[in-house]
Amino acid sequence: MSFPNSPVHQWLQLPAIRVLVAVADAGSLSAGARSIGMAQSNASRTLATLERRLGYPLLNRSAQGSRLTTEGALTVEWAREVLDAVDRLSAGAEALGATSAPELVVGASMTVAEYLVPGWISTFRHECPDVRTTLRIHNSRHVIDGVRSGGVALGFIETPDIPGDIRSVRIVTDCLVVVIAPDHPWAARTAPLTPAELAGTPLVEREEGSGTRAALDAVIGSNRAQPIAELNSNSAICQSVIAGLGPTVLSNLAVQGALRAGRLLQVPVTGGTMERDLRAIWFGGRRPTGAAGHFLDIAMQATPTP
């Protein structure tokens, strides 16, 4: 039995999709149930209930075992995104809510904080459970100020404008992309935008001091059309673009969900990708040691999903 009039978010339970992902990862129902400490009979009932509510089969069950259906494999990929988002929310919320004297204060600009730092915090807490961490989210300019003042032990920024007294190392190279609403006139273009066209078009932009805005200035120049609007949130910009306010340029990390859902379209630009480095920063001559150094190692070793 399916529930066509009942939105998934009103009945979906996280343990059910954790079971589904565990089965996919382990290769069988029995192995998946063992991997998360659940009895196979309970896992089977959980997935059967999930199938009834979704209205399609997730597993092909036979005497040889249970294997994902085509629909099940696709659902697993969506489920992974949900679980990843929940894990990021959990790690980020715990860091923001730290109240007693922290041993490590990490500062991050908005894009890095939203899409990368929570995963690093989760790994750090697993490896260093006795170290309390606090996350402070600002734009790149304020993260630099926090590192310089000593209020932040380690910062992560997007801007290429790094003062000479601040040390830095590249964490990952990020791509900036032009995105529009599906009904924007550019959706009918057959030729890529030129940098001159982009520079001459009013955009929905991040506020002054943000790394995304500074990186865009570095790529196509600061002598650009005045913004349609300036917002201090990637999600607010995405929603404004979806609503038809105008085009924007944001990190590939910030728009992937909306692109996959078809709520935004990407417009290619001549000359290849618009890249910028996401960097870790600290104050002083030596590379961070102790907890900050370990956190930096985790960030440098992590490979973000585009």
Side-chain angles (χ1 to χ4, degrees):
M1 177 180 178
S2 63
F3 293 72
N5 297 319
S6 179
V8 170
H9 70 268
Q10 292 185 0
W11 55 259
L12 183 65
Q13 296 182 334
L14 291 177
I17 61 174
R18 289 195 187 278
V19 172
L20 178 61
V21 171
V23 170
D25 290 342
S28 70
L29 179 60
S30 58
R34 285 196 303 272
S35 72
I36 59 174
M38 180 181 286
Q40 181 176 341
S41 58
N42 291 339
S44 181
R45 282 194 297 271
T46 297
L47 290 181
T49 299
L50 184 58
E51 287 174 320
R52 288 196 301 272
R53 289 184 165 177
L54 290 172
Y56 55 82
L58 299 169
L59 297 177
N60 284 319
R61 297 167 174 83
S62 69
Q64 288 72 43
S66 299
R67 294 292 184 270
L68 290 172
T69 63
T70 301
E71 297 89 345
L74 182 57
T75 304
V76 164
E77 295 311 306
W78 295 331
R80 290 190 197 280
E81 294 183 19
V82 173
L83 295 178
D84 287 346
V86 169
D87 290 343
R88 291 198 303 270
L89 171 63
S90 177
E94 288 181 17
L96 290 173
T99 55
S100 60
E103 296 185 56
L104 176 63
V105 179
V106 174
S109 56
M110 188 65 68
T111 300
V112 186
E114 283 186 86
Y115 303 101
L116 298 177
V117 173
W120 302 339
I121 290 176
S122 180
T123 300
F124 180 79
R125 287 186 168 174
H126 176 74
E127 296 180 2
C128 304
D130 296 330
V131 179
R132 185 177 296 277
T133 56
T134 294
L135 174 61
R136 295 180 181 170
I137 304 173
H138 303 287
N139 65 30
S140 290
R141 181 183 297 168
H142 288 134
V143 173
I144 291 171
D145 291 342
V147 167
R148 183 182 280 128
S149 70
V152 172
L154 186 65
F156 296 92
I157 60 172
E158 307 155 46
T159 181
D161 304 325
I162 303 176
D165 61 335
I166 298 294
R167 299 293 299 274
S168 74
V169 64
R170 185 185 72 85
I171 298 298
V172 68
T173 298
D174 180 37
C175 292
L176 296 176
V177 294
V178 180
V179 292
I180 57 173
D183 59 354
H184 189 278
W186 285 354
R189 289 181 65 103
T190 57
L193 284 171
T194 67
E197 284 180 294
L198 187 58
T201 301
L203 304 172
V204 184
E205 296 199 31
R206 287 290 306 277
E207 78 285 1
E208 288 281 356
S210 80
T212 297
R213 185 155 173 168
L216 183 58
D217 288 345
V219 171
I220 65 172
S222 57
N223 186 22
R224 299 186 280 110
Q226 288 296 307
I228 301 171
E230 298 180 21
L231 304 172
N232 63 0
S233 160
N234 291 331
S235 59
I237 290 177
C238 285
Q239 291 305 314
S240 297
V241 174
I242 291 168
L245 186 57
T248 192
V249 177
L250 285 178
S251 165
N252 182 58
L253 294 167
V255 299
Q256 279 303 299
L259 288 173
R260 285 194 294 267
R263 292 181 293 134
L264 290 175
L265 297 179
Q266 182 176 340
V267 182
V269 179
T270 58
T273 56
M274 297 185 292
E275 296 183 340
R276 50 109 178 248
D277 287 339
L278 305 182
R279 304 187 71 85
I281 61 170
W282 62 93
F283 187 70
R286 296 172 53 191
R287 188 183 188 281
T289 57
H294 188 68
F295 196 98
L296 177 57
D297 289 339
I298 290 170
M300 293 187 68
Q301 293 164 9
T303 302
T305 301

PDB file of all heavy atoms in Angstrom, residues 201-232:
ATOM      1  N   THR A 201      26.354  42.056 -16.389  1.00  0.00           N
ATOM      2  CA  THR A 201      25.016  41.650 -15.967  1.00  0.00           C
ATOM      3  C   THR A 201      24.853  41.820 -14.461  1.00  0.00           C
ATOM      4  O   THR A 201      25.658  41.294 -13.687  1.00  0.00           O
ATOM      5  CB  THR A 201      24.766  40.171 -16.332  1.00  0.00           C
ATOM      6  OG1 THR A 201      24.908  40.001 -17.743  1.00  0.00           O
ATOM      7  CG2 THR A 201      23.377  39.742 -15.896  1.00  0.00           C
ATOM      8  N   PRO A 202      23.822  42.544 -14.021  1.00  0.00           N
ATOM      9  CA  PRO A 202      23.557  42.613 -12.581  1.00  0.00           C
ATOM     10  C   PRO A 202      23.242  41.225 -12.018  1.00  0.00           C
ATOM     11  O   PRO A 202      22.451  40.479 -12.603  1.00  0.00           O
ATOM     12  CB  PRO A 202      22.338  43.541 -12.488  1.00  0.00           C
ATOM     13  CG  PRO A 202      22.365  44.343 -13.745  1.00  0.00           C
ATOM     14  CD  PRO A 202      22.895  43.408 -14.790  1.00  0.00           C
ATOM     15  N   LEU A 203      23.857  40.889 -10.918  1.00  0.00           N
ATOM     16  CA  LEU A 203      23.716  39.561 -10.313  1.00  0.00           C
ATOM     17  C   LEU A 203      23.151  39.675  -8.904  1.00  0.00           C
ATOM     18  O   LEU A 203      23.250  40.717  -8.252  1.00  0.00           O
ATOM     19  CB  LEU A 203      25.076  38.865 -10.235  1.00  0.00           C
ATOM     20  CG  LEU A 203      25.866  38.692 -11.531  1.00  0.00           C
ATOM     21  CD1 LEU A 203      27.261  38.163 -11.213  1.00  0.00           C
ATOM     22  CD2 LEU A 203      25.138  37.765 -12.492  1.00  0.00           C
ATOM     23  N   VAL A 204      22.600  38.583  -8.415  1.00  0.00           N
ATOM     24  CA  VAL A 204      22.320  38.444  -6.993  1.00  0.00           C
ATOM     25  C   VAL A 204      23.635  37.989  -6.357  1.00  0.00           C
ATOM     26  O   VAL A 204      24.175  36.947  -6.732  1.00  0.00           O
ATOM     27  CB  VAL A 204      21.212  37.412  -6.722  1.00  0.00           C
ATOM     28  CG1 VAL A 204      20.876  37.376  -5.239  1.00  0.00           C
ATOM     29  CG2 VAL A 204      19.969  37.733  -7.553  1.00  0.00           C
ATOM     30  N   GLU A 205      24.168  38.760  -5.410  1.00  0.00           N
ATOM     31  CA  GLU A 205      25.518  38.499  -4.923  1.00  0.00           C
ATOM     32  C   GLU A 205      25.578  38.401  -3.404  1.00  0.00           C
ATOM     33  O   GLU A 205      24.671  38.836  -2.694  1.00  0.00           O
ATOM     34  CB  GLU A 205      26.465  39.626  -5.381  1.00  0.00           C
ATOM     35  CG  GLU A 205      26.624  39.719  -6.874  1.00  0.00           C
ATOM     36  CD  GLU A 205      27.875  40.500  -7.264  1.00  0.00           C
ATOM     37  OE1 GLU A 205      28.864  40.459  -6.500  1.00  0.00           O
ATOM     38  OE2 GLU A 205      27.858  41.135  -8.324  1.00  0.00           O
ATOM     39  N   ARG A 206      26.674  37.801  -2.944  1.00  0.00           N
ATOM     40  CA  ARG A 206      27.005  37.829  -1.520  1.00  0.00           C
ATOM     41  C   ARG A 206      27.427  39.236  -1.130  1.00  0.00           C
ATOM     42  O   ARG A 206      27.753  40.079  -1.948  1.00  0.00           O
ATOM     43  CB  ARG A 206      28.124  36.822  -1.219  1.00  0.00           C
ATOM     44  CG  ARG A 206      27.695  35.365  -1.254  1.00  0.00           C
ATOM     45  CD  ARG A 206      26.779  35.016  -0.089  1.00  0.00           C
ATOM     46  NE  ARG A 206      27.387  35.364   1.179  1.00  0.00           N
ATOM     47  CZ  ARG A 206      28.256  34.592   1.835  1.00  0.00           C
ATOM     48  NH1 ARG A 206      28.580  33.413   1.344  1.00  0.00           N
ATOM     49  NH2 ARG A 206      28.768  34.994   2.982  1.00  0.00           N
ATOM     50  N   GLU A 207      27.449  39.476   0.179  1.00  0.00           N
ATOM     51  CA  GLU A 207      27.772  40.800   0.698  1.00  0.00           C
ATOM     52  C   GLU A 207      29.253  41.104   0.562  1.00  0.00           C
ATOM     53  O   GLU A 207      30.084  40.213   0.356  1.00  0.00           O
ATOM     54  CB  GLU A 207      27.353  40.882   2.169  1.00  0.00           C
ATOM     55  CG  GLU A 207      28.302  40.196   3.160  1.00  0.00           C
ATOM     56  CD  GLU A 207      28.222  38.676   3.168  1.00  0.00           C
ATOM     57  OE1 GLU A 207      27.444  38.096   2.388  1.00  0.00           O
ATOM     58  OE2 GLU A 207      28.960  38.065   3.966  1.00  0.00           O
ATOM     59  N   GLU A 208      29.601  42.391   0.672  1.00  0.00           N
ATOM     60  CA  GLU A 208      31.009  42.793   0.708  1.00  0.00           C
ATOM     61  C   GLU A 208      31.703  42.077   1.858  1.00  0.00           C
ATOM     62  O   GLU A 208      31.165  41.954   2.955  1.00  0.00           O
ATOM     63  CB  GLU A 208      31.123  44.313   0.908  1.00  0.00           C
ATOM     64  CG  GLU A 208      30.730  45.128  -0.301  1.00  0.00           C
ATOM     65  CD  GLU A 208      31.820  45.180  -1.347  1.00  0.00           C
ATOM     66  OE1 GLU A 208      32.911  44.636  -1.093  1.00  0.00           O
ATOM     67  OE2 GLU A 208      31.583  45.763  -2.422  1.00  0.00           O
ATOM     68  N   GLY A 209      32.909  41.601   1.600  1.00  0.00           N
ATOM     69  CA  GLY A 209      33.666  40.878   2.617  1.00  0.00           C
ATOM     70  C   GLY A 209      33.561  39.376   2.493  1.00  0.00           C
ATOM     71  O   GLY A 209      34.311  38.651   3.147  1.00  0.00           O
ATOM     72  N   SER A 210      32.631  38.902   1.673  1.00  0.00           N
ATOM     73  CA  SER A 210      32.502  37.453   1.503  1.00  0.00           C
ATOM     74  C   SER A 210      33.573  36.948   0.549  1.00  0.00           C
ATOM     75  O   SER A 210      33.998  37.646  -0.376  1.00  0.00           O
ATOM     76  CB  SER A 210      31.113  37.089   0.966  1.00  0.00           C
ATOM     77  OG  SER A 210      31.042  37.306  -0.434  1.00  0.00           O
ATOM     78  N   GLY A 211      33.989  35.709   0.759  1.00  0.00           N
ATOM     79  CA  GLY A 211      35.001  35.115  -0.106  1.00  0.00           C
ATOM     80  C   GLY A 211      34.489  34.871  -1.513  1.00  0.00           C
ATOM     81  O   GLY A 211      35.236  34.990  -2.488  1.00  0.00           O
ATOM     82  N   THR A 212      33.206  34.519  -1.635  1.00  0.00           N
ATOM     83  CA  THR A 212      32.641  34.276  -2.960  1.00  0.00           C
ATOM     84  C   THR A 212      32.687  35.546  -3.796  1.00  0.00           C
ATOM     85  O   THR A 212      33.050  35.522  -4.981  1.00  0.00           O
ATOM     86  CB  THR A 212      31.190  33.766  -2.839  1.00  0.00           C
ATOM     87  OG1 THR A 212      31.195  32.519  -2.146  1.00  0.00           O
ATOM     88  CG2 THR A 212      30.553  33.592  -4.206  1.00  0.00           C
ATOM     89  N   ARG A 213      32.323  36.663  -3.192  1.00  0.00           N
ATOM     90  CA  ARG A 213      32.337  37.925  -3.932  1.00  0.00           C
ATOM     91  C   ARG A 213      33.762  38.321  -4.299  1.00  0.00           C
ATOM     92  O   ARG A 213      34.029  38.762  -5.425  1.00  0.00           O
ATOM     93  CB  ARG A 213      31.678  39.022  -3.110  1.00  0.00           C
ATOM     94  CG  ARG A 213      31.550  40.346  -3.847  1.00  0.00           C
ATOM     95  CD  ARG A 213      30.423  41.143  -3.289  1.00  0.00           C
ATOM     96  NE  ARG A 213      30.349  42.471  -3.848  1.00  0.00           N
ATOM     97  CZ  ARG A 213      29.315  43.284  -3.691  1.00  0.00           C
ATOM     98  NH1 ARG A 213      28.268  42.874  -3.004  1.00  0.00           N
ATOM     99  NH2 ARG A 213      29.307  44.483  -4.220  1.00  0.00           N
ATOM    100  N   ALA A 214      34.691  38.173  -3.367  1.00  0.00           N
ATOM    101  CA  ALA A 214      36.083  38.513  -3.661  1.00  0.00           C
ATOM    102  C   ALA A 214      36.654  37.611  -4.750  1.00  0.00           C
ATOM    103  O   ALA A 214      37.413  38.074  -5.616  1.00  0.00           O
ATOM    104  CB  ALA A 214      36.927  38.412  -2.389  1.00  0.00           C
ATOM    105  N   ALA A 215      36.281  36.326  -4.726  1.00  0.00           N
ATOM    106  CA  ALA A 215      36.773  35.406  -5.750  1.00  0.00           C
ATOM    107  C   ALA A 215      36.209  35.764  -7.119  1.00  0.00           C
ATOM    108  O   ALA A 215      36.916  35.684  -8.131  1.00  0.00           O
ATOM    109  CB  ALA A 215      36.399  33.975  -5.375  1.00  0.00           C
ATOM    110  N   LEU A 216      34.945  36.170  -7.165  1.00  0.00           N
ATOM    111  CA  LEU A 216      34.349  36.585  -8.432  1.00  0.00           C
ATOM    112  C   LEU A 216      35.039  37.840  -8.962  1.00  0.00           C
ATOM    113  O   LEU A 216      35.309  37.961 -10.164  1.00  0.00           O
ATOM    114  CB  LEU A 216      32.851  36.826  -8.263  1.00  0.00           C
ATOM    115  CG  LEU A 216      32.068  37.189  -9.530  1.00  0.00           C
ATOM    116  CD1 LEU A 216      32.208  36.095 -10.582  1.00  0.00           C
ATOM    117  CD2 LEU A 216      30.600  37.425  -9.197  1.00  0.00           C
ATOM    118  N   ASP A 217      35.345  38.785  -8.070  1.00  0.00           N
ATOM    119  CA  ASP A 217      36.103  39.975  -8.476  1.00  0.00           C
ATOM    120  C   ASP A 217      37.437  39.578  -9.093  1.00  0.00           C
ATOM    121  O   ASP A 217      37.874  40.154 -10.091  1.00  0.00           O
ATOM    122  CB  ASP A 217      36.353  40.892  -7.269  1.00  0.00           C
ATOM    123  CG  ASP A 217      35.093  41.613  -6.804  1.00  0.00           C
ATOM    124  OD1 ASP A 217      34.100  41.635  -7.564  1.00  0.00           O
ATOM    125  OD2 ASP A 217      35.106  42.139  -5.680  1.00  0.00           O
ATOM    126  N   ALA A 218      38.090  38.586  -8.488  1.00  0.00           N
ATOM    127  CA  ALA A 218      39.405  38.160  -8.973  1.00  0.00           C
ATOM    128  C   ALA A 218      39.309  37.484 -10.335  1.00  0.00           C
ATOM    129  O   ALA A 218      40.219  37.602 -11.164  1.00  0.00           O
ATOM    130  CB  ALA A 218      40.058  37.217  -7.962  1.00  0.00           C
ATOM    131  N   VAL A 219      38.185  36.791 -10.584  1.00  0.00           N
ATOM    132  CA  VAL A 219      38.046  36.040 -11.835  1.00  0.00           C
ATOM    133  C   VAL A 219      37.633  36.931 -12.995  1.00  0.00           C
ATOM    134  O   VAL A 219      38.205  36.849 -14.088  1.00  0.00           O
ATOM    135  CB  VAL A 219      37.027  34.889 -11.654  1.00  0.00           C
ATOM    136  CG1 VAL A 219      36.699  34.243 -12.989  1.00  0.00           C
ATOM    137  CG2 VAL A 219      37.581  33.833 -10.694  1.00  0.00           C
ATOM    138  N   ILE A 220      36.634  37.793 -12.786  1.00  0.00           N
ATOM    139  CA  ILE A 220      36.131  38.590 -13.904  1.00  0.00           C
ATOM    140  C   ILE A 220      36.292  40.091 -13.692  1.00  0.00           C
ATOM    141  O   ILE A 220      35.888  40.880 -14.546  1.00  0.00           O
ATOM    142  CB  ILE A 220      34.650  38.273 -14.214  1.00  0.00           C
ATOM    143  CG1 ILE A 220      33.753  38.685 -13.041  1.00  0.00           C
ATOM    144  CG2 ILE A 220      34.469  36.822 -14.568  1.00  0.00           C
ATOM    145  CD1 ILE A 220      32.263  38.575 -13.382  1.00  0.00           C
ATOM    146  N   GLY A 221      36.896  40.489 -12.566  1.00  0.00           N
ATOM    147  CA  GLY A 221      37.158  41.900 -12.333  1.00  0.00           C
ATOM    148  C   GLY A 221      36.122  42.533 -11.421  1.00  0.00           C
ATOM    149  O   GLY A 221      34.957  42.122 -11.394  1.00  0.00           O
ATOM    150  N   SER A 222      36.548  43.550 -10.696  1.00  0.00           N
ATOM    151  CA  SER A 222      35.653  44.233  -9.762  1.00  0.00           C
ATOM    152  C   SER A 222      34.857  45.346 -10.432  1.00  0.00           C
ATOM    153  O   SER A 222      33.900  45.870  -9.853  1.00  0.00           O
ATOM    154  CB  SER A 222      36.459  44.816  -8.590  1.00  0.00           C
ATOM    155  OG  SER A 222      37.456  45.703  -9.075  1.00  0.00           O
ATOM    156  N   ASN A 223      35.236  45.720 -11.662  1.00  0.00           N
ATOM    157  CA  ASN A 223      34.504  46.756 -12.390  1.00  0.00           C
ATOM    158  C   ASN A 223      33.318  46.105 -13.098  1.00  0.00           C
ATOM    159  O   ASN A 223      33.305  45.918 -14.307  1.00  0.00           O
ATOM    160  CB  ASN A 223      35.423  47.454 -13.389  1.00  0.00           C
ATOM    161  CG  ASN A 223      34.747  48.634 -14.060  1.00  0.00           C
ATOM    162  OD1 ASN A 223      33.779  49.187 -13.534  1.00  0.00           O
ATOM    163  ND2 ASN A 223      35.237  49.011 -15.231  1.00  0.00           N
ATOM    164  N   ARG A 224      32.311  45.733 -12.288  1.00  0.00           N
ATOM    165  CA  ARG A 224      31.168  44.981 -12.785  1.00  0.00           C
ATOM    166  C   ARG A 224      29.882  45.750 -12.546  1.00  0.00           C
ATOM    167  O   ARG A 224      29.857  46.756 -11.836  1.00  0.00           O
ATOM    168  CB  ARG A 224      31.078  43.626 -12.065  1.00  0.00           C
ATOM    169  CG  ARG A 224      32.274  42.749 -12.282  1.00  0.00           C
ATOM    170  CD  ARG A 224      32.094  41.361 -11.692  1.00  0.00           C
ATOM    171  NE  ARG A 224      32.319  41.318 -10.248  1.00  0.00           N
ATOM    172  CZ  ARG A 224      31.373  41.135  -9.344  1.00  0.00           C
ATOM    173  NH1 ARG A 224      30.113  41.004  -9.721  1.00  0.00           N
ATOM    174  NH2 ARG A 224      31.657  41.100  -8.061  1.00  0.00           N
ATOM    175  N   ALA A 225      28.812  45.256 -13.150  1.00  0.00           N
ATOM    176  CA  ALA A 225      27.499  45.854 -12.922  1.00  0.00           C
ATOM    177  C   ALA A 225      27.145  45.767 -11.439  1.00  0.00           C
ATOM    178  O   ALA A 225      27.518  44.820 -10.740  1.00  0.00           O
ATOM    179  CB  ALA A 225      26.447  45.134 -13.763  1.00  0.00           C
ATOM    180  N   GLN A 226      26.422  46.763 -10.952  1.00  0.00           N
ATOM    181  CA  GLN A 226      25.990  46.750  -9.561  1.00  0.00           C
ATOM    182  C   GLN A 226      25.050  45.567  -9.312  1.00  0.00           C
ATOM    183  O   GLN A 226      24.233  45.209 -10.164  1.00  0.00           O
ATOM    184  CB  GLN A 226      25.262  48.050  -9.222  1.00  0.00           C
ATOM    185  CG  GLN A 226      26.181  49.255  -9.125  1.00  0.00           C
ATOM    186  CD  GLN A 226      27.181  49.099  -7.983  1.00  0.00           C
ATOM    187  OE1 GLN A 226      26.802  48.849  -6.835  1.00  0.00           O
ATOM    188  NE2 GLN A 226      28.461  49.240  -8.308  1.00  0.00           N
ATOM    189  N   PRO A 227      25.170  44.924  -8.144  1.00  0.00           N
ATOM    190  CA  PRO A 227      24.314  43.766  -7.853  1.00  0.00           C
ATOM    191  C   PRO A 227      22.826  44.130  -7.842  1.00  0.00           C
ATOM    192  O   PRO A 227      22.453  45.244  -7.484  1.00  0.00           O
ATOM    193  CB  PRO A 227      24.769  43.327  -6.458  1.00  0.00           C
ATOM    194  CG  PRO A 227      26.110  43.929  -6.262  1.00  0.00           C
ATOM    195  CD  PRO A 227      26.108  45.205  -7.048  1.00  0.00           C
ATOM    196  N   ILE A 228      22.005  43.176  -8.223  1.00  0.00           N
ATOM    197  CA  ILE A 228      20.562  43.325  -8.053  1.00  0.00           C
ATOM    198  C   ILE A 228      20.227  43.363  -6.565  1.00  0.00           C
ATOM    199  O   ILE A 228      19.387  44.133  -6.103  1.00  0.00           O
ATOM    200  CB  ILE A 228      19.809  42.145  -8.690  1.00  0.00           C
ATOM    201  CG1 ILE A 228      20.107  42.040 -10.179  1.00  0.00           C
ATOM    202  CG2 ILE A 228      18.311  42.250  -8.464  1.00  0.00           C
ATOM    203  CD1 ILE A 228      19.568  40.763 -10.806  1.00  0.00           C
ATOM    204  N   ALA A 229      20.875  42.480  -5.823  1.00  0.00           N
ATOM    205  CA  ALA A 229      20.675  42.382  -4.381  1.00  0.00           C
ATOM    206  C   ALA A 229      21.927  41.789  -3.768  1.00  0.00           C
ATOM    207  O   ALA A 229      22.681  41.076  -4.435  1.00  0.00           O
ATOM    208  CB  ALA A 229      19.462  41.510  -4.057  1.00  0.00           C
ATOM    209  N   GLU A 230      22.155  42.092  -2.492  1.00  0.00           N
ATOM    210  CA  GLU A 230      23.284  41.544  -1.743  1.00  0.00           C
ATOM    211  C   GLU A 230      22.728  40.802  -0.541  1.00  0.00           C
ATOM    212  O   GLU A 230      22.050  41.391   0.293  1.00  0.00           O
ATOM    213  CB  GLU A 230      24.228  42.660  -1.292  1.00  0.00           C
ATOM    214  CG  GLU A 230      24.847  43.440  -2.446  1.00  0.00           C
ATOM    215  CD  GLU A 230      25.788  44.535  -1.957  1.00  0.00           C
ATOM    216  OE1 GLU A 230      26.263  44.437  -0.809  1.00  0.00           O
ATOM    217  OE2 GLU A 230      26.042  45.474  -2.716  1.00  0.00           O
ATOM    218  N   LEU A 231      23.029  39.520  -0.445  1.00  0.00           N
ATOM    219  CA  LEU A 231      22.520  38.675   0.626  1.00  0.00           C
ATOM    220  C   LEU A 231      23.685  37.956   1.294  1.00  0.00           C
ATOM    221  O   LEU A 231      24.685  37.641   0.641  1.00  0.00           O
ATOM    222  CB  LEU A 231      21.513  37.657   0.076  1.00  0.00           C
ATOM    223  CG  LEU A 231      20.321  38.256  -0.697  1.00  0.00           C
ATOM    224  CD1 LEU A 231      19.500  37.153  -1.357  1.00  0.00           C
ATOM    225  CD2 LEU A 231      19.440  39.070   0.227  1.00  0.00           C
ATOM    226  N   ASN A 232      23.547  37.663   2.585  1.00  0.00           N
ATOM    227  CA  ASN A 232      24.666  37.051   3.311  1.00  0.00           C
ATOM    228  C   ASN A 232      24.490  35.554   3.522  1.00  0.00           C
ATOM    229  O   ASN A 232      25.103  34.972   4.413  1.00  0.00           O
ATOM    230  CB  ASN A 232      24.874  37.750   4.659  1.00  0.00           C
ATOM    231  CG  ASN A 232      23.680  37.594   5.590  1.00  0.00           C
ATOM    232  OD1 ASN A 232      22.691  36.965   5.238  1.00  0.00           O
ATOM    233  ND2 ASN A 232      23.786  38.165   6.774  1.00  0.00           N
TER     234      ASN A 232
END
